[in-house]
């Protein structure tokens, strides 16, 4: 497997995002080439794959792992005998019940997980049932513009620039310079009332972006051209996207968005003053201080979102699954998102690629430790 190189995700991030070389240049789904390479090598080594046969239960005897129970696609039980099992089922990003219980977020209301379908937390449950210490399950946060998947890219591109950002009380709550750090943004929004935040611009700012292109682009949002932004906003309104607002006055914009009207008027006034001098509240980069004066005004709701969940199974440095006394369970290992307890409520987006990096490395460590254990057991 080869890499295109190591890249930044957004301007303030580190160039740690290792993008896999594939046949169509840098773009979505490059990681599938890594999976194909690993799969091919495993087949060469004689590994047997049981696809569509999800693991259901870890079998233990005398405290040691002796096998795994699975069910094939016809509903038949399959027993795999083994001396070591590695749990790596990718977390629970599509299990909205578990997410609600563990984190308090309600999918579709105040959190928009875009996890891979079918990632239901099987490995977490199997490990906990087998005696693993249960650690908190967290959302791997990344902020989302409401309904962005149905909109032209220009809407997301404009509204994720360092614009004025307010909560439902009409108050600013973070330095907007960092808006492209999706984790900071999602985390900060999570701490606001109703987890509500709006990015706001006026017509002059929209025209500036349309004429010059947006300033902050990334490999994910590479296109500075946002010429269809206004059409995109109108389309969102026509489609009933309540998170996209167009209004002729700040008061009307606040009312439509459910923001405290007088506070927003005051915040915009103060912000416009800062644009003439210094942002005394957050010391935002003066380059991004642009007054909000000319109607119509545009706002987009930004919500907490996530790639899925991380964490839940306690492991040690050898990726051995440990019980509540930190003692390894003989023959049981975990890797990847199921075991990724290295973040608290925010994952480290300044080092892009590090959740995949954690998965690849813990997978390797778990494999090496398990192989050593099986050899020693003999
Ligand atoms: C849209 C998106 C974009 C992302 N972008 C990045 C990025 O840019 N950089 C980064 O570092 N990370 C990124 N991530 C996160 C990254 O993909 C994960 O951290 C990583 O894939 C976790 O690896 P894993 O092996 O733990 O789980 P996964 O890669 O999810 O693999 C888990 C596997 O287990 C299988 N499985 C589930 N249940 C069972 C069962 N009961 N029995 C058997 N198999 C089962 C699943 O089908 C799946 O094949 C992104 C995630 C998403 C969803």
């Amino acid at each position: 497997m080869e890499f295109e190189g190591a890249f930044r995700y957004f301007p303030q991030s580190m160039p740690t995002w290792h993008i896999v070389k594939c046949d169509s240049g840098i773009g979505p789904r490059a990681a599938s080439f890594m999976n194909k390479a690993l799969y091919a090598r495993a087949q060469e080594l004689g590994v047997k794959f049981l696809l569509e046969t999800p693991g259901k239960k870890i079998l233990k005897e005398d405290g040691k792992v002796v096998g795994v129970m699975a069910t094939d696609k016809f509903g038949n039980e399959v027993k795999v005998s083994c001396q070591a099992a590695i749990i790596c089922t990718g977390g629970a990003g599509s299990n909205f019940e578990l997410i609600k219980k563990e984190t308090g977020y309600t999918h579709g209301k105040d959190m928009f997980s875009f996890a891979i379908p079918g990632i239901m937390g099987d490995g977490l449950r199997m490990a906990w049932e087998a005696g693993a210490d249960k650690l908190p399950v967290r959302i791997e946060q990344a902020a989302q513009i409401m309904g962005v998947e149905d909109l032209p890219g220009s809407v997301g591109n404009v509204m994720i620039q360092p614009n004025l950002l307010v909560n439902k009380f009409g108050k600013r709550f973070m330095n907007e310079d960092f808006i492209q750090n999706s984790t900071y943004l999602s985390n900060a929004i999570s701490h606001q009332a109703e987890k509500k935040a709006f990015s706001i611009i006026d017509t002059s700012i929209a025209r500036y972006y349309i004429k010059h292109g947006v300033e902050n682009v990334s490999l994910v949002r590479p296109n500075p051209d946002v010429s269809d932004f206004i059409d995109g906003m109108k389309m969102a309104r026509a489609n009933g996207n309540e998170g996209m607002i167009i209004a002729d006055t700040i008061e009307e914009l606040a009312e439509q968005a459910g923001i405290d009207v007088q506070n927003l008027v005051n915040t915009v006034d103060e912000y416009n003053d800062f644009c003439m001098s210094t942002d005394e509240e957050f010391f935002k980069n003066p380059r991004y201080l642009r007054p909000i004066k000319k109607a119509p005004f545009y706002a987009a709701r930004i919500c907490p979102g996530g790639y899925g969940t991380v964490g839940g199974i306690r492991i040690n440095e050898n990726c051995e699954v440990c019980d509540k006394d930190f003692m390894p369970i003989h023959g049981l290992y975990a890797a990847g998102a199921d075991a990724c307890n290295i973040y608290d409520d925010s994952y480290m987006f300044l080092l892009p690629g590090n959740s995949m990096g954690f998965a690849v490395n813990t997978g390797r460590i778990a494999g090496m430790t398990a192989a050593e254990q099986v050899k020693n057991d003999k």
Side-chain angles (χ1 to χ4, degrees):
M1 202 186 80
E2 289 177 66
F3 292 97
E4 287 282 357
F7 300 89
R8 294 175 199 274
Y9 205 101
F10 54 97
Q12 297 105 333
S13 69
M14 298 291 158
T16 52
W17 190 21
H18 287 71
I19 298 185
V20 174
K21 198 172 248 179
C22 62
D23 59 5
S24 53
I26 292 178
R29 286 175 277 282
S32 63
F33 280 72
M34 176 174 73
N35 287 349
K36 282 180 192 157
L38 292 171
Y39 182 66
R41 178 71 181 133
Q43 281 192 316
E44 266 171 41
L45 294 169
V47 174
K48 185 172 175 191
F49 284 84
L50 302 179
L51 297 176
E52 297 182 80
T53 309
K56 300 281 183 195
K57 189 177 168 56
I58 301 291
L59 303 175
K60 281 168 66 184
E61 273 173 24
D62 301 327
K64 296 180 178 179
V65 169
V66 293
V68 178
M69 286 308 295
T71 308
D72 72 13
K73 63 179 168 183
F74 306 109
N76 301 317
E77 285 205 323
V78 177
K79 183 178 172 185
V80 179
S81 298
C82 59
Q83 289 162 272
I86 302 173
I87 292 178
C88 46
T89 63
S94 294
N95 187 334
F96 304 132
E97 212 174 293
L98 186 143
I99 288 174
K100 175 80 183 166
K101 193 164 155 228
E102 290 285 324
T103 67
Y105 289 106
T106 309
H107 178 78
K109 186 163 173 252
D110 56 22
M111 197 280 303
F112 295 80
S113 165
F114 44 95
I116 307 294
I119 301 285
M120 298 299 286
D122 290 355
L124 300 176
R125 181 187 46 75
M126 283 191 273
W128 296 333
E129 283 172 6
D133 189 19
K134 182 188 169 310
L135 295 181
V137 177
R138 308 290 199 189
I139 293 289
E140 189 175 11
Q141 295 212 22
Q144 281 267 71
I145 289 182
M146 203 171 193
V148 73
E149 57 279 3
D150 299 325
L151 297 170
S154 57
V155 174
N157 249 359
V158 164
M159 288 314 204
I160 213 79
Q161 298 299 310
N163 309 317
L164 172 66
L165 197 63
V166 299
N167 60 18
K168 79 165 251 184
F169 300 118
K171 304 229 166 144
R172 292 172 73 203
F173 56 90
M174 67 179 270
N175 181 343
E176 297 94 342
D177 289 353
F178 291 95
I179 194 167
Q180 287 203 321
N181 182 332
S182 198
T183 301
Y184 279 5
L185 180 60
S186 186
N187 177 285
I189 296 171
S190 295
H191 288 78
Q192 307 309 310
E194 293 172 33
K195 301 183 173 61
K196 249 188 189 177
F198 286 89
S199 167
I200 301 176
I201 62 169
D202 75 347
T203 287
S204 301
I205 301 172
R207 280 194 195 141
Y208 177 88
Y209 289 144
I210 289 167
K211 186 167 176 201
H212 301 283
V214 289
E215 288 150 322
N216 291 339
V217 290
S218 66
L219 285 173
V220 177
R221 293 199 173 95
N223 189 1
D225 175 14
V226 291
S227 42
D228 59 352
F229 166 73
I230 290 170
D231 287 344
M233 287 297 289
K234 287 181 181 162
M235 184 206 293
R237 295 298 297 163
N239 292 345
N241 183 332
E242 290 173 4
M244 300 292 144
I245 318 284
I246 307 175
D248 287 328
T249 62
I250 293 295
E251 287 85 346
E252 195 193 310
L253 181 131
E255 266 163 26
Q256 282 191 46
I259 300 173
D260 184 294
V261 177
Q262 195 51 52
N263 280 356
L264 184 62
V265 170
N266 295 346
T267 297
V268 169
D269 272 354
E270 185 181 57
Y271 185 78
N272 288 346
D273 288 345
F274 291 160
C275 293
M276 309 296 289
S277 53
T278 303
D279 172 10
E280 288 170 20
E281 198 173 12
F282 289 105
F283 297 93
K284 180 171 173 172
N285 186 338
R287 180 177 159 193
Y288 301 126
L289 284 171
R290 299 196 174 101
I292 313 270
K293 288 187 169 164
K294 192 170 171 54
F297 302 97
Y298 301 92
R301 181 163 173 203
I302 309 182
C303 310
Y307 295 112
T309 69
V310 276
I313 304 174
R314 182 182 294 286
I315 56 167
N316 63 14
E317 70 279 19
N318 300 317
C319 296
E320 295 169 289
V321 172
C322 296
D323 65 15
K324 64 177 174 21
D325 298 319
F326 289 61
M327 289 298 125
I329 297 170
H330 191 88
L332 192 56
Y333 303 84
D338 287 340
C340 188
N341 305 302
I342 59 174
Y343 320 109
D344 194 21
D345 59 354
S346 305
Y347 103 102
M348 186 52 184
F349 208 53
L350 284 172
L351 302 176
N354 74 83
S355 64
M356 185 64 93
F358 184 88
V360 169
N361 283 296
T362 49
R364 181 167 175 269
I365 294 167
M368 291 191 305
T369 319
E372 191 66 22
Q373 171 233 308
V374 170
K375 202 166 78 187
N376 291 341
D377 283 355
K378 277 182 186 157

